[in-house]
Amino acid sequence: MKHYEVEILDAKTREKLCFLDKVEPQATIAEIKNLFTKTQGRSLKDEDVLQSLPVGTTATFYFRDLGAQISWVTVFLTEYAGPLLIYLLFYFRVPFLYGPRYDFTASRHAVVHLACACHSFHYIKRLLETLFVHRFSHGTMPLRNIFKNCTYYWGFAAWMAYYINHPLYTPPAYGDEQVKLALAVFLFCQLGNFSIHVALRNLRPAGSKTRKIPYPTRNPFTWLFLLVSCPNYTYEVGSWIGFTIMTQCLPVALFSLVGFVQMAIWAQGKHRSYLREFRDYPPLRSPIVPFLL
């Protein structure tokens, strides 16, 4: 049977990356991609030891340029500080936002002031967690991410703040009862989110990239680990649902929905990673929503 020889080149540099010999005539492009992937080997971690790798006395490594990088801490601080400051600009109604007669005026609705306090608390908490709680498994991420992330966080913050602090804003339909219920949900989920972040931090000693299965601790907020792999995302979504109920604002609801979709994708990825890495991973856990998703 006749076989093909396939040469794979870098699309930009035209440098030869791989030469595949004896490729079946009926091979699909997907199969060729798999063959190429196998020739490149697996990605290695910084802590991998050479003698533990499946190589002989001669090893071949492939270098991949990931482009300009930026630290995770810098990205997080930038994307979280922006919404905090942007929201306050609308809250204090600085000039050119709502018209001259509203410059530096205050809303007459108590829920508007409460919403500002909750929004500010959320992002101050995130900034402090970035500085003092989180331990990152990777030191950097692609530089382009900071522009993408800031567009998302800053843009939604401005959109939400514009409507919530608008002079024509109307309070929730069910009044104080609705606001109090929403505030309780918001605060409960904020405490839960913080508790999970602390629990995850305690799993990884300082300066280490060790990965362990997270389990519930004595803190009741961590008991959600019994049902989901990423309860920090579950609590995060719950916080924004509470904020949506509190403000009864469509842009907040859309932000919550988009955030849930993105966090569900992240949670599913982490869940699959746990299942691959740990054979004894608890089988009853779902990625983000107990028993559903």
Side-chain angles (χ1 to χ4, degrees):
M1 178 184 295
K2 179 181 178 181
H3 290 83
Y4 285 78
E5 296 177 347
V6 178
E7 187 178 54
I8 299 178
L9 307 178
D10 185 287
K12 294 182 178 180
T13 65
R14 314 303 295 177
E15 176 186 357
K16 185 169 74 173
L17 299 177
C18 176
F19 182 83
L20 302 176
D21 191 16
K22 295 183 179 180
V23 178
E24 296 288 342
Q26 302 302 320
T28 64
I29 296 300
E31 290 170 340
I32 293 176
K33 288 181 179 179
N34 288 334
L35 290 173
F36 171 68
T37 301
K38 290 179 180 179
T39 65
Q40 301 304 296
R42 65 181 178 88
S43 298
L44 300 177
K45 301 177 182 178
D46 291 344
E47 60 269 23
D48 284 340
V49 179
L50 185 59
Q51 67 179 9
S52 66
L53 299 176
V55 298
T57 55
T58 301
T60 302
F61 293 89
Y62 293 87
F63 171 78
R64 183 173 61 179
D65 186 0
L66 299 177
Q69 299 286 297
I70 188 171
S71 74
W72 280 76
V73 172
T74 301
V75 173
F76 277 17
L77 292 179
T78 304
E79 67 186 38
Y80 297 156
L84 175 63
L85 298 176
I86 289 171
Y87 195 100
L88 291 176
L89 293 178
F90 286 90
Y91 175 74
F92 290 111
R93 295 178 179 172
V94 299
F96 308 109
L97 291 180
Y98 298 115
R101 69 192 183 107
Y102 296 112
D103 292 351
F104 298 112
T105 59
S107 174
R108 67 180 187 276
H109 303 301
V111 66
V112 172
H113 307 298
L114 180 61
C116 180
C118 289
H119 189 275
S120 299
F121 172 81
H122 173 75
Y123 282 103
I124 290 173
K125 166 183 165 293
R126 281 195 166 190
L127 290 168
L128 293 175
E129 286 176 339
T130 299
L131 291 173
F132 303 111
V133 177
H134 293 319
R135 287 175 178 161
F136 303 100
S137 57
H138 300 287
T140 63
M141 68 166 67
L143 177 62
R144 64 180 179 274
N145 283 10
I146 194 172
F147 302 104
K148 178 180 65 176
N149 293 7
C150 287
T151 298
Y152 168 72
Y153 282 105
W154 295 18
F156 263 114
W159 193 25
M160 292 187 296
Y162 175 81
Y163 282 97
I164 296 172
N165 297 286
H166 197 284
L168 300 180
Y169 170 79
T170 55
Y174 294 97
D176 290 344
E177 290 76 13
Q178 180 175 337
V179 173
K180 291 177 182 177
L181 173 64
L183 178 61
V185 172
F186 178 85
L187 293 177
F188 178 86
C189 291
Q190 287 288 292
L191 288 172
N193 180 263
F194 175 74
S195 298
I196 299 301
H197 286 162
V198 172
L200 292 174
R201 177 186 184 274
N202 292 338
L203 284 179
R204 178 175 293 165
S208 169
K209 295 183 180 180
T210 303
R211 282 171 56 88
K212 300 178 182 178
I213 299 176
Y215 287 104
T217 67
R218 294 181 179 179
N219 184 341
F221 286 106
T222 67
W223 294 352
L224 196 53
F225 270 125
L226 294 170
L227 301 176
V228 296
S229 295
C230 301
N232 52 319
Y233 295 151
T234 309
Y235 283 124
E236 178 80 7
V237 173
S239 292
W240 286 109
I241 290 175
F243 196 72
T244 300
I245 297 171
M246 179 190 301
T247 59
Q248 197 170 299
C249 182
L250 180 59
V252 181
L254 293 176
F255 178 68
S256 302
L257 177 61
V258 174
F260 169 72
V261 172
Q262 180 59 76
M263 282 184 274
I265 294 172
W266 289 338
Q268 288 174 331
K270 289 188 176 182
H271 183 73
R272 288 192 296 266
S273 178
Y274 282 138
L275 291 175
R276 286 194 304 266
E277 189 169 355
F278 304 108
R279 293 184 178 180
D280 56 341
Y281 192 72
L284 294 180
R285 292 187 188 179
S286 301
I288 186 172
V289 180
F291 310 114
L292 295 176
L293 180 65

